[in-house]
Amino acid sequence: VLDIVKQLALIYPQESVAHLLVAEIALQANMFGAALTAIDNAIDNGADIRQSKILKNRVLWASGDRPAAIKGFSKMLEEYPQDTEVRSSYARFLLAAGKTEQAKQQFNKIYEYHPDDSEFLFSTAMIMLENSELDTAREYLNKLLGKGYRENEVYYFLGRLEQVAKNYPEAIGWYK
């Protein structure tokens, strides 16, 4: 597949989307050098700089250059301080790198910008659960109470959190 897409990029070198597609496929094939080259070609041909930088940071992360990926997202936040996708990606990378407090700060900043975004709150709670950040998961789930968003799941996960903490009477109260 990569060879076919590379051929398309050669036939249509001015089409930045073709180069970005090469980069995505190269990333999936763990061909990081080819992915980075394709991103540079995409930028040279007018690709969306923001999307290209996000993809470049993903490639850097996947290639094992985690500090460069984190630094790349940090720099992007200077350019796009209220961009939820950039900040969320940065936060997830920080969390995966074991920089939990920094990640929480980024998630909290997104919440400041978008306090009514229930999908963000739920997704962040699930990310925190996956990373055993139970108090932070509880905090985000509690913010969802009364919003009418995925109520059964919110109650379930709040119950699970109490069950894990061995607070059985509280857990039973959440299982509705």
Side-chain angles (χ1 to χ4, degrees):
V1 172
L2 181 59
D3 290 335
I4 293 169
V5 176
K6 278 184 178 179
Q7 288 300 318
L8 284 173
L10 288 173
I11 294 169
Y12 301 102
Q14 71 286 359
E15 294 295 329
S16 61
V17 70
H19 296 288
L20 289 175
L21 183 58
V22 169
E24 285 282 359
I25 293 171
L27 171 59
Q28 296 303 316
N30 295 327
M31 299 176 70
F32 307 119
L36 292 171
T37 299
I39 292 167
D40 289 340
N41 290 338
I43 291 170
D44 290 345
N45 286 289
D48 179 285
I49 298 298
R50 181 185 149 285
Q51 282 303 119
S52 299
K53 287 180 179 180
I54 290 171
L55 180 55
K56 182 176 184 177
N57 290 326
R58 288 178 42 222
V59 170
L60 290 169
W61 183 269
S63 73
D65 195 352
R66 293 178 171 195
I70 289 173
K71 184 177 181 180
F73 274 117
S74 179
K75 284 185 178 182
M76 285 187 75
L77 283 176
E78 294 171 14
E79 295 175 69
Y80 311 99
Q82 294 190 15
D83 189 307
T84 301
E85 182 181 7
V86 171
R87 193 170 295 277
S88 179
S89 295
Y90 179 49
R92 285 193 304 270
F93 280 28
L94 286 169
L95 197 58
K99 299 179 179 193
T100 306
E101 289 307 312
Q102 289 175 292
K104 288 179 189 178
Q105 290 172 0
Q106 296 305 317
F107 285 124
N108 286 333
K109 185 66 85 174
I110 295 169
Y111 178 70
E112 287 175 28
Y113 293 140
H114 307 285
D116 296 323
D117 186 342
S118 296
E119 180 58 36
F120 162 74
L121 288 171
F122 188 81
S123 297
T124 303
M126 296 303 101
I127 291 167
M128 292 298 162
L129 276 171
E130 288 173 15
N131 287 278
S132 299
E133 291 295 323
L134 305 184
D135 290 336
T136 306
R138 181 180 291 108
E139 175 187 340
Y140 279 98
L141 288 168
N142 278 320
K143 289 176 182 177
L144 283 166
L145 292 174
K147 291 186 180 239
Y149 182 81
R150 297 174 87 160
E151 284 182 337
N152 291 336
E153 291 172 88
V154 170
Y155 291 140
Y156 169 78
F157 286 112
L158 284 168
R160 276 297 288 143
L161 285 168
E162 294 301 335
Q163 189 174 347
V164 168
K166 298 189 186 327
N167 297 326
Y168 301 116
E170 291 87 354
I172 292 169
W174 286 114
Y175 292 129
K176 295 186 174 192

